[in-house]
Amino acid sequence: MTVTQERTSRTGDKLSGRVAFVTGGTRGIGAAICRSMAAQGADVAAGYSGNDEAAERFRKQFCGDFPDQGFSVHKGDIANADDCRRTIAEVIEKHGRLDVLVNNAGITVDRTVLKMTDDDWRRVIDVNLSGAFYLSQAALKHMLERGSGRIVMISSVIGEMGGIGQSNYASAKAGLLGLTKTLAREAAMQVQRSGKTDGLGITVNAVTPGYTATEMLGTVPDKVLEGLKAKIPIGRLGEPEEVARVVHFLAADASGYITGQVWGVNGGMDM
Ligand SMILES: NC(=O)c1ccc[n+]([C@@H]2O[C@H](COP(=O)([O-])OP(=O)(O)OC[C@H]3O[C@@H](n4cnc5c(N)ncnc54)[C@H](OP(=O)(O)O)[C@@H]3O)[C@@H](O)[C@H]2O)c1
């Protein structure tokens, strides 16, 4: 199988019996994460905000490819704290548990600092950073009751390197790294204090993709894209599946000794 082909069936058992909620799971990197989770045996809940057509298309495709895995979609705006708490509760109600939360949903509203409006700034921070906080807070409560769970943040290489026209996006994505490390420390401390652990513990990690071939790059002019590719040592864009395989690895039971870490999947951009 080449890296660009999508997984269409079970390939392993690393996530058997687990339930994973992937925000922004109906398109792009999130859809690839849902598929890689299901390929490892997880039941999957996919979040989205407004594109019902894409969600329905993905549901049909997913259920055709993974008929044995449980699946649900959950609509809500992750910038809204109530929507975050509602969707986490819906997932637990529907599937009976939540083992893995992947904070993947994100947006860009690019403008140079001098042209950025207050709304451009706030919206990107609200969706890309505050959303991950609200969702993690609600999921952590449930995970602490059991003493086990996995949270994975999809940050960006832009959060590590900055990007022209992306002060809002870079700040939100860098903020996710601080959130990851703080949640990782608090979760480990609280699991130890409670003594309530099945041995798997609760881990929190971040993945920082580089430029990845999804609709998010659709607005970038070809000439600019060529310039971006020239800065990638591997010499090409990443594929969503290349990000997804790191996420399912971090989500597995066996990854319990990895927490508070940042995993770059960027073709070597930030060496
Ligand atoms: N593509 C890249 O080059 C790249 C590089 C580094 C990091 N990333 C990060 O990777 C993640 C996924 O990116 P992508 O390229 O796969 O994006 P995408 O193709 O644009 O898909 C975005 C997904 O997020 C959902 N979403 C957007 N705003 C939301 C909101 N307010 N509430 C709930 N869901 C919302 C969308 O739902 P609808 O379908 O309803 O709109 C969609 O399912 C993002 O966090 C992005 O920042 C991407």
Side-chain angles (χ1 to χ4, degrees), residues 32-103:
I33 294 171
C34 288
R35 300 177 70 84
S36 82
M37 295 280 187
Q40 292 293 333
D43 290 344
V44 172
Y48 74 106
S49 57
N51 192 334
D52 297 319
E53 210 176 294
E56 180 52 18
R57 201 177 322 122
F58 181 67
R59 189 194 64 75
K60 277 197 186 133
Q61 196 187 37
F62 182 99
C63 294
D65 291 340
F66 300 100
D68 297 334
Q69 304 313 132
F71 181 76
S72 58
V73 286
H74 304 269
K75 186 174 180 175
D77 177 5
I78 60 165
N80 179 310
D82 288 337
D83 276 11
C84 291
R85 292 188 272 266
R86 172 183 53 80
T87 48
I88 292 279
E90 273 176 18
V91 174
I92 295 168
E93 165 83 21
K94 162 89 187 160
H95 298 274
R97 56 193 288 152
L98 173 61
D99 301 283
V100 182
L101 168 66
V102 183
N103 284 308

Side-chain angles (χ1 to χ4, degrees), residues 12-193:
D13 286 312
K14 289 195 187 92
L15 295 167
S16 268
R18 303 283 171 221
V19 173
F21 181 28
V22 182
T23 67
T26 54
R27 291 198 283 122
I29 293 172
I33 294 171
C34 288
R35 300 177 70 84
S36 82
M37 295 280 187
Q40 292 293 333
D43 290 344
V44 172
Y48 74 106
S49 57
N51 192 334
D52 297 319
E53 210 176 294
E56 180 52 18
R57 201 177 322 122
F58 181 67
R59 189 194 64 75
K60 277 197 186 133
Q61 196 187 37
F62 182 99
C63 294
D65 291 340
F66 300 100
D68 297 334
Q69 304 313 132
F71 181 76
S72 58
V73 286
H74 304 269
K75 186 174 180 175
D77 177 5
I78 60 165
N80 179 310
D82 288 337
D83 276 11
C84 291
R85 292 188 272 266
R86 172 183 53 80
T87 48
I88 292 279
E90 273 176 18
V91 174
I92 295 168
E93 165 83 21
K94 162 89 187 160
H95 298 274
R97 56 193 288 152
L98 173 61
D99 301 283
V100 182
L101 168 66
V102 183
N103 284 308
N104 165 76
I107 56 165
T108 52
V109 183
D110 293 355
R111 264 183 254 290
T112 53
V113 169
L114 295 184
K115 290 185 180 155
M116 188 158 293
T117 67
D118 296 353
D119 281 348
D120 299 335
W121 170 263
R122 251 193 310 261
R123 181 68 187 156
V124 170
I125 298 288
D126 286 352
V127 173
N128 293 9
L129 179 57
S130 303
F133 173 78
Y134 303 136
L135 287 154
S136 302
Q137 187 184 45
L140 186 62
K141 194 161 173 272
H142 169 77
M143 289 173 179
L144 281 169
E145 281 163 14
R146 290 210 323 259
S148 67
R150 302 278 180 263
I151 298 177
V152 182
M153 312 285 185
I154 307 300
S155 173
S156 169
V157 72
I158 299 298
E160 300 170 303
M161 298 176 69
I164 290 174
Q166 298 198 293
S167 56
N168 51 2
Y169 185 80
S171 303
K173 293 298 189 182
L176 279 181
L177 306 184
L179 177 61
T180 297
K181 292 174 191 196
T182 302
L183 275 170
R185 286 181 187 279
E186 286 193 14
M189 178 187 75
Q190 283 170 10
V191 166
Q192 285 189 55
R193 271 192 190 160

